[in-house]
Amino acid sequence: MAYDKFTILTSTAVPLPIENVDTDQIIPARFLKATERKNFGDNLFRDWRYNNDDTPKKDFVLNNPIYSGKILVGGTNFGSGSSREHAAWALYDYGFRCVVSSFFADIFKGNAINIGILPVQVSDAFLDQIFKAIEADPATSITIDLEAQTIKLNATGATESFDINGYKKHNLINGFDDIDYLQAMKAEIKAFATTHSI
Amino acid sequence: MSNNPSTLFDKVWDAHVVRKIEDGPDVFFIDRHFIHEVTSPVAFLGLESRGIDVMFPDCTFATADHNTPTINQHLPVADPLSANQLQALERNSAKYGISHWGLGDPKNGIVHVVGPENGITLPGMTIVCGDSHTSTHGAFGAIAFGIGTSEVEMVLSSQCIMQPKPKKMRINVNGKLGKAVTPKDVTLYIIAKLTTAGATGYFVEYAGDVFENMSMEGRMTVCNMSIEMGARGGMIAPDDTTFNYINGREKAPKGAAWDKALAYWKTLKTDVGAGFDKEYNFDAADIEPMITYGTNPGMGMGISKHIPKATDLAGGVATYEKSLKYMGFEEDQLMIGKKVDYVFIGSCTNGRIEDFRAFASIVKGRKKADHITAWIVPGSHIVEAQIKEEGILDILTEAGFELRQPGCSACLAMNDDKIPAGKYAVSTSNRNFEGRQGPGSRTLLASPFVAAAAAVTGVVTDPRELL
């Protein structure tokens, strides 16, 4: 699945200061019945976002018009639980291109990168600083520069660098994916399979 | 280099690296790929839109489980969306020549139950599936873990994924387990100690005499839950228990191939002196029957204990309070005696024959509590047949229980098996997240013994009193 190239993103952000946000919250299992990747954003955080009668829950951040943007800032251990890539699809379809947290679950992190969402892992202190900045001013602008591997609070200039491996960074900047890479090395894989015994 | 001591994990991982990418992941070869109806359809669409084929269809196995009804499986599936997913799996499998055990097939069942019981899962293999509980197969000394749908497409099209090598953790549990303490309690205990993110970034090896003395069913329960502490997977070195389990199963090697495989499998153990990035030691005597009180599997405790106070926590008080509020619990509350509404036994965690034997050992001669709704769901048709052959069904029926048909069922409540909002369920499954078993449902994770004790008494009960 091709995705948009990721270079520099400057946006306001949506704060979700809850820890251990699991993928069942990001998208509950009953919304995984589609056979196409369409409209998953409608059910993003479904049970936190809507009452049983489908009316919006006023106290949930996605229903608060003062918060918007392409960056979601979550509490530590974001994306734990199920391997459902639908969680990343729902975030992407809703409009998020970056998730910031102080810790990510492995499978979610991989799924996000594979579909063009950049997971940015920051220190606990910097995460706290981001939450406080957004709380003080919901229009807080954040810039994420993938080439430089930095995240900056534009009002204060407070900056932190983040890690990403060179291969994945190259893919995101150029909009390449792993399947392109693997297709180009099929002869090598076939040769490996011939000699590999299990 | 052969004198370098290495771990079981290193031995299996390194044998599957096709190419190492500098400052990037390994191109990692996959021996066995399981698919189910929920996480595969978009991967097949991807193949079609790129115009590429399945590289090795013989290495992928399809079964329908997540979205299947657990009653009246002979009838057409009522929910059109579910029916559509099941049909897509059947159609895609047929199109690409992939083995498919659909609804009604005698081999059908939960993917992590049918793989091992049919001899598809073998030591030393790399195994993936678009399901985080793929870690189950690590019980055989395989490297097994869950992947996303983009990776399902990678495996279909190239039999490889791109995976950075995780760090290594060993968890040793030694000693003698107490009365009514099961593999589920061992894993819930470990997760409570490490927390739900304590093993993120690691691949775990479970070692020590507790695991050496465990059945394959028990080892699968433990490895299954590895993901619940954040680990990508967990594995246990194969031994005679493993080999005896595999020998004779349908797709297991036979004759000379068996002898050759066995010789290799016997080399699959961690060498003395091999290093781990992190190591934990636990004493079996410290573990009692466990139950969870919160909304992640790390929020578990001994069944006789009180719910921890927020002031005892290292941090995360707001999240903790949100969790207790959802559950309708208070700090310092005792769980024993708490009224239960539903009991669910099944899932890839505790849906094997040993689990139903344990459940039956408590309900035998007792009656289901009147107000309890119990869903008893075998992991596969083979398990279902064993339940009948061993007389367990008679015990269940006598006690007022009904047996349902195989599938993931109320573990993730994709089908109609949903716990209603606000109701309490003692479940032998793997996750107690908010709404996991249905919107507003409240899940208490526990062993089959604890589930059985709740089913006959109607409240949270220490199973040691009933055994």
Side-chain angles (χ1 to χ4, degrees), chain B residues 14-58:
Chain B
D14 295 347
H16 290 84
V17 175
V18 180
R19 181 192 283 183
K20 280 187 175 299
I21 300 172
E22 198 181 334
D23 192 20
D26 290 344
V27 177
F28 192 61
F29 190 82
I30 300 302
D31 296 316
R32 292 285 181 270
H33 181 210
F34 294 105
I35 58 173
H36 61 81
E37 72 275 24
V38 177
T39 57
S40 67
V42 172
F44 283 108
L45 282 183
L47 295 183
E48 282 167 25
S49 71
R50 290 171 195 261
I52 54 179
D53 206 354
V54 175
M55 193 175 190
F56 296 120
D58 291 348

Short mmCIF file of all heavy atoms in Angstrom, two decimals, chain B residues 14-58:
data_model
loop_
_atom_site.label_atom_id
_atom_site.label_comp_id
_atom_site.label_asym_id
_atom_site.label_seq_id
_atom_site.Cartn_x
_atom_site.Cartn_y
_atom_site.Cartn_z
N ASP B 14 19.23 -16.74 13.68
CA ASP B 14 20.35 -16.58 12.74
C ASP B 14 20.23 -17.52 11.54
O ASP B 14 20.73 -17.22 10.45
CB ASP B 14 21.68 -16.78 13.46
CG ASP B 14 21.93 -15.69 14.51
OD1 ASP B 14 21.20 -14.67 14.50
OD2 ASP B 14 22.83 -15.87 15.35
N ALA B 15 19.56 -18.67 11.75
CA ALA B 15 19.38 -19.62 10.64
C ALA B 15 18.35 -19.14 9.62
O ALA B 15 18.15 -19.79 8.60
CB ALA B 15 18.96 -20.98 11.21
N HIS B 16 17.69 -18.01 9.91
CA HIS B 16 16.63 -17.55 9.02
C HIS B 16 16.88 -16.17 8.42
O HIS B 16 15.99 -15.58 7.82
CB HIS B 16 15.28 -17.54 9.77
CG HIS B 16 14.79 -18.93 10.06
ND1 HIS B 16 15.21 -19.65 11.16
CD2 HIS B 16 13.95 -19.74 9.38
CE1 HIS B 16 14.64 -20.85 11.14
NE2 HIS B 16 13.87 -20.93 10.08
N VAL B 17 18.09 -15.65 8.60
CA VAL B 17 18.39 -14.32 8.05
C VAL B 17 18.88 -14.48 6.61
O VAL B 17 19.92 -15.07 6.35
CB VAL B 17 19.46 -13.60 8.92
CG1 VAL B 17 19.84 -12.27 8.27
CG2 VAL B 17 18.92 -13.38 10.32
N VAL B 18 18.09 -13.95 5.69
CA VAL B 18 18.46 -14.01 4.27
C VAL B 18 19.47 -12.91 3.95
O VAL B 18 20.42 -13.11 3.21
CB VAL B 18 17.21 -13.84 3.37
CG1 VAL B 18 17.58 -13.91 1.90
CG2 VAL B 18 16.16 -14.88 3.71
N ARG B 19 19.25 -11.74 4.54
CA ARG B 19 20.15 -10.61 4.28
C ARG B 19 20.09 -9.69 5.48
O ARG B 19 19.03 -9.45 6.04
CB ARG B 19 19.68 -9.86 3.03
CG ARG B 19 20.56 -8.68 2.65
CD ARG B 19 19.92 -7.80 1.59
NE ARG B 19 19.98 -8.34 0.25
CZ ARG B 19 19.53 -7.69 -0.83
NH1 ARG B 19 18.96 -6.49 -0.69
NH2 ARG B 19 19.60 -8.23 -2.03
N LYS B 20 21.24 -9.17 5.84
CA LYS B 20 21.29 -8.15 6.91
C LYS B 20 21.40 -6.78 6.24
O LYS B 20 22.25 -6.59 5.38
CB LYS B 20 22.51 -8.36 7.81
CG LYS B 20 22.33 -9.45 8.85
CD LYS B 20 23.53 -9.47 9.80
CE LYS B 20 23.32 -10.46 10.93
NZ LYS B 20 22.15 -10.14 11.77
N ILE B 21 20.53 -5.87 6.64
CA ILE B 21 20.59 -4.52 6.09
C ILE B 21 21.30 -3.62 7.11
O ILE B 21 20.90 -3.59 8.27
CB ILE B 21 19.18 -3.97 5.80
CG1 ILE B 21 18.47 -4.88 4.79
CG2 ILE B 21 19.24 -2.53 5.30
CD1 ILE B 21 17.01 -4.53 4.59
N GLU B 22 22.31 -2.92 6.64
CA GLU B 22 23.04 -2.03 7.54
C GLU B 22 22.12 -0.91 8.04
O GLU B 22 21.39 -0.31 7.25
CB GLU B 22 24.23 -1.42 6.79
CG GLU B 22 25.27 -0.84 7.72
CD GLU B 22 26.43 -0.22 6.96
OE1 GLU B 22 26.69 -0.65 5.82
OE2 GLU B 22 27.06 0.69 7.51
N ASP B 23 22.12 -0.66 9.33
CA ASP B 23 21.24 0.34 9.94
C ASP B 23 19.78 0.10 9.55
O ASP B 23 19.03 1.01 9.24
CB ASP B 23 21.67 1.76 9.54
CG ASP B 23 20.96 2.83 10.39
OD1 ASP B 23 20.47 2.49 11.49
OD2 ASP B 23 20.88 3.98 9.95
N GLY B 24 19.41 -1.17 9.57
CA GLY B 24 18.04 -1.51 9.21
C GLY B 24 17.70 -2.90 9.71
O GLY B 24 18.47 -3.50 10.47
N PRO B 25 16.54 -3.41 9.33
CA PRO B 25 16.12 -4.73 9.81
C PRO B 25 16.82 -5.87 9.07
O PRO B 25 17.51 -5.64 8.08
CB PRO B 25 14.63 -4.72 9.46
CG PRO B 25 14.52 -3.83 8.26
CD PRO B 25 15.59 -2.78 8.43
N ASP B 26 16.64 -7.09 9.56
CA ASP B 26 17.05 -8.28 8.83
C ASP B 26 15.94 -8.67 7.86
O ASP B 26 14.76 -8.52 8.18
CB ASP B 26 17.28 -9.46 9.79
CG ASP B 26 18.52 -9.26 10.67
OD1 ASP B 26 19.36 -8.39 10.33
OD2 ASP B 26 18.64 -9.99 11.67
N VAL B 27 16.33 -9.19 6.72
CA VAL B 27 15.35 -9.84 5.85
C VAL B 27 15.22 -11.26 6.38
O VAL B 27 16.18 -12.03 6.36
CB VAL B 27 15.81 -9.83 4.37
CG1 VAL B 27 14.79 -10.58 3.51
CG2 VAL B 27 15.98 -8.40 3.88
N PHE B 28 14.06 -11.56 6.92
CA PHE B 28 13.89 -12.72 7.81
C PHE B 28 12.96 -13.73 7.14
O PHE B 28 11.81 -13.42 6.80
CB PHE B 28 13.28 -12.19 9.12
CG PHE B 28 13.28 -13.16 10.26
CD1 PHE B 28 14.47 -13.68 10.75
CD2 PHE B 28 12.08 -13.53 10.85
CE1 PHE B 28 14.46 -14.56 11.83
CE2 PHE B 28 12.07 -14.41 11.93
CZ PHE B 28 13.26 -14.93 12.42
N PHE B 29 13.46 -14.94 6.95
CA PHE B 29 12.71 -15.98 6.23
C PHE B 29 11.71 -16.67 7.16
O PHE B 29 12.02 -16.99 8.30
CB PHE B 29 13.67 -17.03 5.66
CG PHE B 29 13.02 -17.99 4.71
CD1 PHE B 29 12.80 -17.65 3.38
CD2 PHE B 29 12.61 -19.25 5.15
CE1 PHE B 29 12.19 -18.54 2.50
CE2 PHE B 29 11.99 -20.14 4.27
CZ PHE B 29 11.79 -19.80 2.94
N ILE B 30 10.52 -16.89 6.64
CA ILE B 30 9.42 -17.46 7.42
C ILE B 30 9.10 -18.87 6.93
O ILE B 30 8.84 -19.09 5.74
CB ILE B 30 8.17 -16.56 7.28
CG1 ILE B 30 8.46 -15.14 7.79
CG2 ILE B 30 6.97 -17.19 8.01
CD1 ILE B 30 8.94 -15.04 9.22
N ASP B 31 9.11 -19.83 7.87
CA ASP B 31 8.83 -21.23 7.50
C ASP B 31 7.33 -21.52 7.41
O ASP B 31 6.89 -22.27 6.55
CB ASP B 31 9.44 -22.18 8.53
CG ASP B 31 10.95 -22.10 8.56
OD1 ASP B 31 11.56 -22.06 7.47
OD2 ASP B 31 11.53 -22.07 9.67
N ARG B 32 6.59 -20.98 8.36
CA ARG B 32 5.15 -21.28 8.40
C ARG B 32 4.38 -19.99 8.61
O ARG B 32 4.71 -19.19 9.50
CB ARG B 32 4.82 -22.24 9.55
CG ARG B 32 5.37 -23.64 9.38
CD ARG B 32 4.58 -24.43 8.36
NE ARG B 32 5.09 -25.78 8.20
CZ ARG B 32 6.04 -26.13 7.32
NH1 ARG B 32 6.58 -25.24 6.51
NH2 ARG B 32 6.44 -27.39 7.26
N HIS B 33 3.33 -19.83 7.83
CA HIS B 33 2.52 -18.62 7.87
C HIS B 33 1.07 -19.03 8.03
O HIS B 33 0.53 -19.77 7.21
CB HIS B 33 2.72 -17.86 6.55
CG HIS B 33 1.96 -16.58 6.44
ND1 HIS B 33 1.52 -16.07 5.24
CD2 HIS B 33 1.58 -15.69 7.38
CE1 HIS B 33 0.89 -14.92 5.45
NE2 HIS B 33 0.91 -14.67 6.73
N PHE B 34 0.46 -18.61 9.13
CA PHE B 34 -0.96 -18.88 9.33
C PHE B 34 -1.75 -17.61 8.98
O PHE B 34 -1.31 -16.50 9.29
CB PHE B 34 -1.25 -19.26 10.79
CG PHE B 34 -0.62 -20.57 11.20
CD1 PHE B 34 0.51 -20.60 12.01
CD2 PHE B 34 -1.16 -21.78 10.76
CE1 PHE B 34 1.09 -21.81 12.38
CE2 PHE B 34 -0.58 -22.99 11.14
CZ PHE B 34 0.54 -23.01 11.95
N ILE B 35 -2.89 -17.80 8.33
CA ILE B 35 -3.75 -16.65 8.06
C ILE B 35 -5.18 -16.95 8.53
O ILE B 35 -5.59 -18.11 8.60
CB ILE B 35 -3.76 -16.25 6.57
CG1 ILE B 35 -4.20 -17.41 5.66
CG2 ILE B 35 -2.40 -15.74 6.14
CD1 ILE B 35 -4.39 -17.00 4.20
N HIS B 36 -5.90 -15.90 8.88
CA HIS B 36 -7.32 -16.04 9.21
C HIS B 36 -8.09 -14.93 8.49
O HIS B 36 -7.50 -14.12 7.77
CB HIS B 36 -7.54 -16.04 10.73
CG HIS B 36 -7.09 -14.78 11.41
ND1 HIS B 36 -7.86 -13.65 11.43
CD2 HIS B 36 -5.93 -14.47 12.06
CE1 HIS B 36 -7.20 -12.70 12.09
NE2 HIS B 36 -6.03 -13.17 12.47
N GLU B 37 -9.40 -14.91 8.70
CA GLU B 37 -10.25 -14.10 7.86
C GLU B 37 -10.16 -12.59 8.11
O GLU B 37 -10.51 -11.80 7.24
CB GLU B 37 -11.73 -14.56 8.00
CG GLU B 37 -12.42 -14.20 9.33
CD GLU B 37 -12.18 -15.21 10.43
OE1 GLU B 37 -11.15 -15.93 10.38
OE2 GLU B 37 -12.99 -15.26 11.38
N VAL B 38 -9.67 -12.18 9.30
CA VAL B 38 -9.76 -10.76 9.65
C VAL B 38 -8.56 -9.95 9.16
O VAL B 38 -8.73 -8.84 8.67
CB VAL B 38 -9.93 -10.59 11.18
CG1 VAL B 38 -9.94 -9.12 11.57
CG2 VAL B 38 -11.23 -11.25 11.63
N THR B 39 -7.36 -10.49 9.29
CA THR B 39 -6.18 -9.68 8.97
C THR B 39 -5.56 -10.02 7.61
O THR B 39 -4.51 -9.49 7.27
CB THR B 39 -5.11 -9.81 10.06
OG1 THR B 39 -4.77 -11.20 10.21
CG2 THR B 39 -5.60 -9.26 11.39
N SER B 40 -6.21 -10.90 6.83
CA SER B 40 -5.63 -11.25 5.53
C SER B 40 -6.27 -10.59 4.30
O SER B 40 -5.57 -10.44 3.30
CB SER B 40 -5.63 -12.77 5.36
OG SER B 40 -6.95 -13.28 5.24
N PRO B 41 -7.55 -10.21 4.30
CA PRO B 41 -8.15 -9.78 3.03
C PRO B 41 -7.46 -8.58 2.38
O PRO B 41 -7.28 -8.56 1.16
CB PRO B 41 -9.60 -9.44 3.39
CG PRO B 41 -9.77 -9.63 4.84
CD PRO B 41 -8.55 -10.28 5.39
N VAL B 42 -7.04 -7.61 3.18
CA VAL B 42 -6.39 -6.43 2.60
C VAL B 42 -5.01 -6.79 2.04
O VAL B 42 -4.55 -6.20 1.06
CB VAL B 42 -6.33 -5.28 3.64
CG1 VAL B 42 -5.49 -4.12 3.14
CG2 VAL B 42 -7.74 -4.79 3.97
N ALA B 43 -4.37 -7.80 2.63
CA ALA B 43 -3.09 -8.26 2.09
C ALA B 43 -3.28 -8.88 0.70
O ALA B 43 -2.49 -8.63 -0.22
CB ALA B 43 -2.45 -9.28 3.03
N PHE B 44 -4.34 -9.66 0.54
CA PHE B 44 -4.61 -10.24 -0.78
C PHE B 44 -4.97 -9.15 -1.79
O PHE B 44 -4.56 -9.22 -2.95
CB PHE B 44 -5.73 -11.28 -0.68
CG PHE B 44 -5.27 -12.60 -0.11
CD1 PHE B 44 -5.64 -12.98 1.18
CD2 PHE B 44 -4.46 -13.45 -0.85
CE1 PHE B 44 -5.21 -14.19 1.72
CE2 PHE B 44 -4.03 -14.67 -0.32
CZ PHE B 44 -4.40 -15.04 0.97
N LEU B 45 -5.71 -8.13 -1.34
CA LEU B 45 -6.00 -7.00 -2.24
C LEU B 45 -4.71 -6.33 -2.69
O LEU B 45 -4.58 -5.90 -3.83
CB LEU B 45 -6.88 -5.96 -1.53
CG LEU B 45 -8.36 -6.25 -1.39
CD1 LEU B 45 -9.04 -5.05 -0.72
CD2 LEU B 45 -9.01 -6.54 -2.74
N GLY B 46 -3.76 -6.23 -1.76
CA GLY B 46 -2.46 -5.63 -2.07
C GLY B 46 -1.74 -6.40 -3.17
O GLY B 46 -1.17 -5.82 -4.09
N LEU B 47 -1.77 -7.74 -3.05
CA LEU B 47 -1.14 -8.57 -4.09
C LEU B 47 -1.77 -8.27 -5.45
O LEU B 47 -1.07 -8.13 -6.46
CB LEU B 47 -1.34 -10.06 -3.80
CG LEU B 47 -0.70 -10.67 -2.55
CD1 LEU B 47 -0.99 -12.18 -2.51
CD2 LEU B 47 0.79 -10.43 -2.52
N GLU B 48 -3.10 -8.18 -5.43
CA GLU B 48 -3.81 -7.95 -6.70
C GLU B 48 -3.47 -6.58 -7.29
O GLU B 48 -3.21 -6.46 -8.48
CB GLU B 48 -5.32 -8.07 -6.49
CG GLU B 48 -5.76 -9.52 -6.40
CD GLU B 48 -7.18 -9.68 -5.88
OE1 GLU B 48 -7.97 -8.73 -6.02
OE2 GLU B 48 -7.47 -10.76 -5.32
N SER B 49 -3.44 -5.57 -6.42
CA SER B 49 -3.19 -4.23 -6.97
C SER B 49 -1.76 -4.10 -7.47
O SER B 49 -1.49 -3.32 -8.38
CB SER B 49 -3.52 -3.15 -5.93
OG SER B 49 -2.57 -3.17 -4.91
N ARG B 50 -0.84 -4.88 -6.90
CA ARG B 50 0.54 -4.83 -7.39
C ARG B 50 0.77 -5.82 -8.53
O ARG B 50 1.84 -5.80 -9.16
CB ARG B 50 1.51 -5.19 -6.25
CG ARG B 50 1.64 -4.16 -5.16
CD ARG B 50 2.46 -4.73 -4.01
NE ARG B 50 2.34 -3.95 -2.79
CZ ARG B 50 3.23 -3.04 -2.38
NH1 ARG B 50 4.30 -2.78 -3.10
NH2 ARG B 50 3.04 -2.39 -1.27
N GLY B 51 -0.18 -6.74 -8.71
CA GLY B 51 0.00 -7.76 -9.75
C GLY B 51 1.09 -8.76 -9.41
O GLY B 51 1.84 -9.20 -10.28
N ILE B 52 1.19 -9.14 -8.12
CA ILE B 52 2.21 -10.12 -7.73
C ILE B 52 1.54 -11.36 -7.15
O ILE B 52 0.38 -11.33 -6.75
CB ILE B 52 3.25 -9.53 -6.75
CG1 ILE B 52 2.56 -8.90 -5.53
CG2 ILE B 52 4.10 -8.51 -7.46
CD1 ILE B 52 3.53 -8.32 -4.51
N ASP B 53 2.30 -12.45 -7.09
CA ASP B 53 1.74 -13.76 -6.75
C ASP B 53 2.19 -14.20 -5.35
O ASP B 53 3.04 -13.57 -4.73
CB ASP B 53 2.24 -14.77 -7.80
CG ASP B 53 1.28 -15.94 -7.95
OD1 ASP B 53 0.30 -16.04 -7.18
OD2 ASP B 53 1.53 -16.77 -8.84
N VAL B 54 1.58 -15.29 -4.87
CA VAL B 54 2.06 -15.91 -3.62
C VAL B 54 3.28 -16.75 -3.96
O VAL B 54 3.25 -17.57 -4.87
CB VAL B 54 0.95 -16.78 -2.98
CG1 VAL B 54 1.49 -17.52 -1.76
CG2 VAL B 54 -0.24 -15.90 -2.58
N MET B 55 4.36 -16.55 -3.24
CA MET B 55 5.63 -17.19 -3.61
C MET B 55 5.64 -18.68 -3.27
O MET B 55 5.99 -19.51 -4.11
CB MET B 55 6.77 -16.47 -2.88
CG MET B 55 8.15 -16.83 -3.42
SD MET B 55 9.40 -15.81 -2.58
CE MET B 55 10.83 -16.19 -3.57
N PHE B 56 5.30 -19.03 -2.04
CA PHE B 56 5.30 -20.44 -1.62
C PHE B 56 3.96 -20.78 -0.96
O PHE B 56 3.86 -20.79 0.27
CB PHE B 56 6.43 -20.71 -0.63
CG PHE B 56 7.83 -20.54 -1.18
CD1 PHE B 56 8.70 -19.61 -0.63
CD2 PHE B 56 8.27 -21.31 -2.24
CE1 PHE B 56 9.99 -19.45 -1.12
CE2 PHE B 56 9.55 -21.16 -2.74
CZ PHE B 56 10.42 -20.22 -2.19
N PRO B 57 2.92 -21.06 -1.76
CA PRO B 57 1.59 -21.30 -1.16
C PRO B 57 1.57 -22.46 -0.17
O PRO B 57 0.74 -22.47 0.74
CB PRO B 57 0.70 -21.58 -2.38
CG PRO B 57 1.56 -21.57 -3.57
CD PRO B 57 2.92 -21.09 -3.22
N ASP B 58 2.50 -23.43 -0.31
CA ASP B 58 2.50 -24.58 0.60
C ASP B 58 2.91 -24.20 2.03
O ASP B 58 2.76 -25.00 2.95
CB ASP B 58 3.49 -25.65 0.11
CG ASP B 58 3.00 -26.30 -1.17
OD1 ASP B 58 1.82 -26.08 -1.53
OD2 ASP B 58 3.79 -27.01 -1.81
#
